[in-house]
Amino acid sequence: MRLTPIMTCAAAAGLALGSATAFAQQEDWPDSFTVGTASQGGTYFTYGSGWANLVANELGISGGGEVTGGPNQNLALVHNGDLAFGMTTMGPAAEALAGDSPIAPGVPLDNACAMFPMYQTPFSITVLEGSGIESISDIPEGAAIGFGPSGSTSDTYFPRMLETLGVEFDRRTGSWSDLAGQLQDGLIDVIAFAAGIPVPAVSQLEVQTDIRIIEFTEEEQAQVMEEFPVAAFEIPADTYQSLDGPARAVSMWNFAIARCDLPESFVYAATKAVMENHDRMMEIHRASRSTVPENYDKNTVMPWHPGAARWFIENGYEIPEDLIK
């Protein structure tokens, strides 16, 4: 049975939720689905909840985002079958496939497959304007630095990056919203963000107080790129009001993931919903400017779900058979 004509007819006819669910059951689709995101106040939560709602509306079944600990936990939850979909970055994905995930050490999390490209996650540093910190080298010894939710991409990689750059710190974790409040209240000195831009918590902070975005020097950027799976990145000047010009950073690619044993037709339809509705994705979050099919090749780590791979191949993108689960 061909999926596309059925989905097109369903949309045109405006089928009620009950009949759409009946079709899903007939095709062995789940009655509902959940997308693992991350903490509130971060890009993952806004972006993930948004594309979950888009897919739910397009497919006519119930779906939504769920607050999680971020990429590492999403990989584990999808692998274990607790979630249908999730979002991750390529660094944690590589570690999880190798059995090096901090959440499940020694267990290869190989039941999570690539679905579609999301966006790059820049690693950036935010301080209060009056902190006296104008560069990474200015961060004082023992500074309290918030690295995001425990086990997140930021918490996994940013402490190691700063240690590589010679920074000695007091490590703190928490949701981006909580950490932003702590920075404003003077309870921590720095927030080391790894999230799609603009980060909601940073945008909210600069409305409430004066902040400074700290960029990497060229030497610091090169040093971090040599040690970690990241690429050079510039945060555009128009991302935040606090920026006078582009800010040098490093970044890591994010991909949506699906449980590998989900029905091929279901993941095909979900991938199609996101990839063919770019304007609606841009309404969800500006980071979606990179959520385009051409960025499929940024996945150099994970096997593709057969349903997602089918959509890309049908639309002219080459995915070798040995890279499909």
Side-chain angles (χ1 to χ4, degrees):
M1 180 180 295
R2 289 181 60 80
L3 174 67
T4 305
I6 291 174
M7 291 306 299
T8 303
C9 291
L15 291 180
L17 179 61
S19 57
T21 301
F23 168 74
Q25 290 172 340
Q26 178 185 345
E27 292 297 307
D28 199 28
W29 289 12
D31 295 330
S32 63
F33 68 88
T34 304
V35 175
T37 63
S39 70
Q40 293 181 335
T43 305
Y44 259 35
F45 180 75
T46 303
Y47 181 103
S49 299
W51 77 257
N53 292 334
L54 188 158
V55 169
N57 291 335
E58 288 291 304
L59 274 57
I61 63 176
S62 176
E66 179 174 311
V67 173
T68 70
N72 280 309
Q73 189 177 19
N74 290 340
L75 285 158
L77 291 171
V78 170
H79 169 83
N80 291 334
D82 297 306
L83 298 176
F85 301 127
M87 306 187 301
T88 193
T89 40
M90 291 291 96
E95 292 185 350
L97 285 169
D100 295 329
S101 170
I103 289 181
V107 180
L109 303 181
D110 55 5
N111 193 34
C113 285
M115 189 177 174
F116 62 81
M118 291 168 46
Y119 54 81
Q120 288 168 283
T121 286
F123 289 74
S124 62
I125 295 172
T126 299
V127 299
L128 296 180
E129 179 70 30
S131 66
I133 300 172
E134 298 184 2
S135 65
I136 292 176
S137 61
D138 284 340
I139 298 175
E141 181 179 344
I145 302 181
F147 289 101
S150 179
S152 65
T153 299
S154 184
D155 182 49
T156 301
Y157 287 94
F158 228 148
R160 292 188 239 167
M161 290 180 185
L162 292 183
E163 287 170 352
T164 297
L165 298 176
V167 180
E168 297 182 16
F169 51 83
D170 177 13
R171 184 173 181 167
R172 306 288 178 85
T173 58
S175 73
W176 294 126
S177 296
D178 288 344
L179 291 173
Q182 291 178 42
L183 182 71
Q184 191 170 0
D185 293 341
L187 300 176
I188 60 175
D189 305 296
V190 177
I191 304 181
F193 285 98
I197 54 175
V199 182
V202 177
S203 298
Q204 183 63 32
L205 258 179
E206 65 179 357
V207 170
Q208 298 171 337
T209 189
D210 294 328
I211 63 171
R212 178 181 292 125
I213 310 295
I214 304 297
E215 68 174 348
F216 289 72
T217 65
E218 290 184 7
E219 293 76 14
E220 289 166 344
Q221 185 187 59
Q223 189 174 352
V224 168
M225 287 170 58
E226 185 176 348
E227 295 291 330
F228 301 95
V230 293
F233 188 85
E234 274 197 346
I235 300 173
D238 62 357
T239 305
Y240 301 114
Q241 300 173 10
S242 304
L243 285 176
D244 295 326
R248 191 181 299 104
V250 295
S251 69
M252 188 179 290
W253 267 94
N254 298 270
F255 264 70
I257 56 175
R259 208 173 69 237
C260 296
D261 55 2
L262 283 174
E264 178 180 331
S265 61
F266 176 58
V267 178
Y268 173 91
T271 303
K272 175 183 174 69
V274 176
M275 290 288 92
E276 297 184 10
N277 284 286
H278 189 253
D279 289 346
R280 289 167 65 185
M281 287 297 298
M282 284 296 294
E283 292 173 1
I284 293 166
H285 198 284
R286 284 164 53 193
S288 297
R289 60 183 172 270
S290 298
T291 306
V292 293
E294 291 78 10
N295 285 326
Y296 82 105
D297 60 354
K298 303 303 187 294
N299 171 32
T300 59
V301 172
M302 305 187 73
W304 286 90
H305 191 286
R310 177 157 71 93
W311 185 89
F312 283 96
I313 292 169
E314 286 182 359
N315 286 275
Y317 301 96
E318 297 183 4
I319 299 179
E321 287 189 12
D322 62 352
L323 297 182
I324 301 173
K325 186 74 172 184

